[in-house]
Amino acid sequence: MKHRGHSESRKDKSETIVSAEGSARQESSVSRATASHAASPSHSFHFDIWFVFTLENWLLDFGRPIFGLYVSKFFPLSRPGFGDYCHMAYNIITALCLLQLMARSQRPVPKMLQYLLVTFFVMGASIHLVGDSVQHRLIHSGYLLHLSVRDNPIMKQLKPASLVESFELLDFYDEHLGHMMWYAPLFAAYLVYFYGSFGKSCSTGFGVWLLAIFGAGFEWYLVTEGQIFTIFILMFACMVPIVAIRAQQGLAMDSNAKFLFFRSALTLVLVVVWVAYLWNDDTLRKKYPGWLYIPEPWAYVSLYWMH
């Protein structure tokens, strides 16, 4: 009986030790997972991606027409110019950055959605590439950006006159369909990523705000030159209730969400200032009729600097 009692006692002790060791291993595993979760790249500011986005936007998109004006003499008009190669590089780099951004989202983005967004983005940007390339060659022949296609002097000289409709189709692909297929998936990808960028409240460094200011400057150009204010304002209008709903759930924007939200808010302010500045411009009013009046920067340059 004593032997049996000692056996049961040892058995109970061994079970207790095993249970304690299991609990310790479980707690250690949880703590490691928590530490790994906190140190995960998806929870830190993605300076590499946002910096590449900002740099290539200014150089390859904003700088593209400027490069095209000053170095076009080194490229025959019947072949792609330097600005066209910049556009090609922009299409590829931006698509890769979008994939990388969505892959780092705290809230997993379905692969099919990632592929659809990037595919439509590349297709729209490529349509714009062709239309924009032809338009910049027309500028060398006297085409005026502040006038509509049919009102341009060189179009009035075309024979037969029906050729104007072909250039209007090209303008539709460039300024409307291309922009829609280019920017709608771009802002949709931002919004999908923004939705998953919430957690514990965190401080944001000065570099994040500085990068957001430069990003807002380009995004102002994107919204005005691309004539995509409707797409932009829809994205921003979705951001506001997302922030409110997440706040009710006890979640705050992380540094990446703060970057996106501040950049978009500053972009909206810049667009309002731009429209107010040109509100009474009768010439630009003719090209941009209707209730949504947002002149393109290059139309302004064509009217007051180049023309």
Side-chain angles (χ1 to χ4, degrees):
M1 292 293 291
K2 289 184 179 179
H3 180 71
R4 182 182 302 176
H6 285 303
S7 298
E8 291 177 352
S9 176
R10 284 197 298 271
K11 183 178 180 182
D12 291 340
K13 287 181 180 179
S14 63
E15 288 178 352
T16 303
I17 293 172
V18 170
S19 176
E21 288 177 350
S23 299
R25 281 197 299 268
Q26 185 176 6
E27 290 176 1
S28 175
S29 175
V30 170
S31 63
R32 283 197 303 270
T34 304
S36 174
H37 185 68
S40 173
S42 63
H43 290 260
S44 59
F45 182 68
H46 309 319
F47 183 83
D48 54 344
I49 295 180
W50 297 123
F51 179 77
V52 171
F53 261 130
T54 305
L55 184 64
E56 60 128 5
N57 283 338
W58 278 106
L59 289 179
L60 301 180
D61 197 5
F62 178 80
R64 173 171 46 82
I66 300 174
F67 296 147
L69 287 175
Y70 290 101
V71 301
S72 59
K73 59 183 178 181
F74 301 108
F75 297 86
L77 295 179
S78 59
R79 293 292 183 270
F82 185 77
D84 300 329
Y85 292 115
C86 287
H87 205 318
M88 295 176 196
Y90 169 87
N91 294 1
I92 296 171
I93 295 172
T94 306
L96 293 175
C97 285
L98 284 176
L99 285 173
Q100 187 63 232
L101 182 68
M102 288 186 284
R104 294 189 190 181
S105 174
Q106 296 181 37
R107 189 183 185 92
V109 181
K111 289 290 185 182
M112 181 59 68
L113 179 58
Q114 294 184 39
Y115 297 151
L116 283 174
L117 290 174
V118 172
T119 300
F120 274 96
F121 165 82
V122 173
M123 186 173 180
S126 299
I127 291 173
H128 179 268
L129 164 63
V130 177
D132 197 61
S133 179
V134 174
Q135 185 188 72
H136 280 282
R137 279 148 182 76
L138 290 174
I139 293 175
H140 293 282
S141 301
Y143 186 83
L144 302 176
L145 293 175
H146 62 275
L147 297 176
S148 65
V149 174
R150 195 168 289 273
D151 291 337
N152 259 270
I154 64 170
M155 294 297 168
K156 294 180 179 179
Q157 300 172 12
L158 284 179
K159 300 295 181 182
S162 58
L163 281 175
V164 176
E165 295 180 356
S166 298
F167 283 99
E168 286 181 326
L169 176 62
L170 180 68
D171 181 74
F172 173 78
Y173 275 117
D174 177 15
E175 300 294 337
H176 300 280
L177 183 62
H179 283 177
M180 181 65 67
M181 293 183 64
W182 176 359
Y183 296 124
L186 177 65
F187 284 114
Y190 285 155
L191 189 62
V192 167
Y193 175 80
F194 179 81
Y195 183 75
S197 300
F198 287 81
K200 293 183 179 180
S201 180
C202 59
S203 60
T204 305
F206 175 75
V208 175
W209 303 118
L210 185 62
L211 195 62
I213 291 173
F214 280 100
F218 172 78
E219 201 164 75
W220 159 82
Y221 173 77
L222 199 71
V223 171
T224 53
E225 185 65 29
Q227 295 291 283
I228 55 161
F229 181 78
T230 303
I231 299 174
F232 165 76
I233 202 64
L234 282 175
M235 180 199 70
F236 189 66
C238 290
M239 282 182 167
V240 175
I242 288 175
V243 173
I245 293 171
R246 290 299 209 172
Q248 290 181 346
Q249 297 172 347
L251 300 174
M253 290 187 286
D254 68 7
S255 54
N256 295 284
K258 290 178 181 178
F259 171 83
L260 278 171
F261 191 83
F262 177 73
R263 188 184 71 175
S264 300
L266 184 55
T267 299
L268 182 59
V269 172
L270 293 175
V271 172
V272 171
V273 171
W274 172 253
V275 172
Y277 171 65
L278 297 173
W279 187 257
N280 295 319
D281 193 300
D282 294 332
T283 304
L284 292 175
R285 279 279 181 183
K286 292 179 181 178
K287 183 177 181 180
Y288 306 99
W291 64 274
L292 192 59
Y293 169 69
I294 302 178
E296 297 170 81
W298 275 103
Y300 176 83
V301 171
S302 172
L303 176 61
Y304 291 107
W305 293 1
M306 296 171 63
H307 183 55

